[in-house]
Amino acid sequence: MSAKTIAPRILCIGIPVRDLTFRVGSVPEHGSKANATHLEEICGGNALNAAIAIARLGGRAALVGPMGDAQETSSGFILERMTQEGIDVGHVVRMPGLTTPVSAIMIDASGERTLVIYRDPALWTVKLPDADALLGDCDAILVESRCAEFALSLCAEARRRGIAVIVGVDRAMSPGDGLFAAASHILFASEQLQETAGVADDGGALQTLARLTPAFLAATRGPRGTIWLNERGELEETAAFPVHAVDTLGAGDVFHGAFALRLAEGREAREALRFAAAAAALKCTRFGGGLAAPQRIEVEGLLLGS
């Protein structure tokens, strides 16, 4: 933890999801059936998973974004769980007549996940609360890349105020995406990095995108670790922690949350990447999506033993 007496406050922007997770030996073939060995109902979504990680790692997490009608059950389930995790949900926007997203997820014996999700397109029409209300006492913003449509102006205002804006990318971005200009740090997954850059090589893709943005750029590659560009534009790599993965669902989100928190604690990107790698590795050793995010003492123990 940094020398600050009050833990950093991270504002996570995204759309929460109600997840139904099934453990299966293998994903069934098209048109067939499979029996699951376990069913778990959890809350998920990129920003929500990251917020859980931040709270468990010692930060103050707040979540803002759209959710369904106050009368539908999924939003009530998610809000109750977030409150239990100590996440500030005071700025969540309820959207009358809409449905909170729901996903069905199959996790196979290797820990990989296959999912289908429904998100009401009208959720993207949300209007976020006033910037002064959201950015007061805010040390960093972590935003889902898909939320640029309703979060871009807030992110730009945060940067104007000197607040770090970390973008977690899990789908390809367009070269003209406003988040390239509004972000201070952009964290890709390898596949989405290459698709965004149009380059079939992680290092080359990072160098290509560096011409579009002044932001720090990195890409996670699962057990192959993270590749990133340092302040001189040189490629560096941060190794992953070798673990037996049983559930990769939410691992990237935990990585993003841990990275954002460590930055907000005043650490440099190199150390933040190492901290995030440890948190994501521990998450992969247990079932439960983002709800399997580790505690701070576990992460520090893994780092000390490495």
Side-chain angles (χ1 to χ4, degrees):
M1 190 73 67
S2 72
K4 294 177 66 174
T5 57
I6 300 177
R9 179 176 179 269
I10 315 295
L11 179 67
C12 301
I13 306 174
I15 303 179
V17 181
R18 187 177 191 175
D19 290 336
L20 297 175
T21 63
F22 303 85
R23 292 187 215 166
V24 294
S26 61
V27 176
E29 295 181 2
H30 178 71
S32 66
K33 296 180 181 179
N35 289 323
T37 61
H38 183 81
L39 167 66
E40 190 167 8
E41 185 175 10
I42 60 177
C43 54
N46 304 58
L48 190 156
N49 287 336
I52 292 172
I54 290 166
R56 292 188 180 181
L57 294 171
R60 292 182 295 141
L63 189 134
V64 64
M67 292 186 71
D69 192 280
Q71 301 303 313
E72 53 100 37
T73 58
S74 291
S75 55
F77 169 82
I78 293 171
L79 287 169
E80 181 180 1
R81 189 58 199 250
M82 284 196 290
T83 300
Q84 291 172 357
E85 292 287 340
I87 298 167
D88 178 1
V89 297
H91 297 299
V92 168
V93 181
R94 309 301 293 272
M95 310 235 357
L98 301 189
T99 301
T100 295
V102 177
S103 70
I105 303 167
M106 290 178 287
I107 301 172
D108 66 21
S110 72
E112 287 297 325
R113 83 285 190 274
T114 302
L115 64 87
V116 60
I117 184 170
Y118 173 74
R119 288 189 182 91
D120 192 321
L123 290 169
W124 269 267
T125 65
V126 65
K127 302 297 182 185
L128 297 183
D130 180 74
D132 287 337
L134 293 176
L135 297 179
D137 193 29
C138 182
D139 295 285
I141 283 179
L142 176 59
V143 58
E144 298 177 10
S145 60
R146 68 178 52 136
C147 296
E149 184 175 346
F150 61 78
L152 184 57
S153 61
L154 179 68
C155 292
E157 175 60 18
R159 291 300 298 133
R160 191 186 70 78
R161 300 185 187 195
I163 299 171
V165 174
I166 300 97
V167 179
V169 184
D170 74 341
R171 68 175 185 177
M173 298 171 66
S174 69
D177 194 309
L179 286 175
F180 277 122
S184 60
H185 300 74
I186 305 178
L187 305 177
F188 287 88
S190 174
E191 180 180 351
Q192 285 70 40
L193 168 69
Q194 294 184 22
E195 187 177 351
T196 297
V199 177
D201 168 74
D202 289 332
L206 286 173
Q207 291 169 331
T208 296
L209 294 183
R211 296 193 284 269
L212 299 180
T213 176
F216 171 88
L217 296 173
T220 56
R221 302 174 296 172
R224 294 189 295 127
T226 304
I227 186 169
W228 51 284
L229 289 174
N230 65 25
E231 62 276 5
R232 297 181 299 278
E234 299 166 342
L235 290 168
E236 296 200 34
E237 296 188 28
T238 298
F241 288 82
V243 295
H244 174 61
V246 299
D247 177 10
T248 62
L249 178 65
D253 307 329
V254 169
F255 186 103
H256 298 160
F259 178 85
L261 175 61
R262 204 64 175 136
L263 279 183
E265 291 175 350
R267 304 296 179 165
E268 294 184 353
R270 184 186 307 276
E271 183 177 341
L273 288 171
R274 185 72 171 157
F275 183 80
L282 288 166
K283 181 262 130 351
C284 288
T285 64
R286 60 197 72 162
F287 288 100
L291 287 173
Q295 300 290 333
R296 180 76 175 229
I297 191 171
E298 297 178 279
V299 175
E300 292 179 343
L302 181 56
L303 289 168
L304 284 173
S306 64

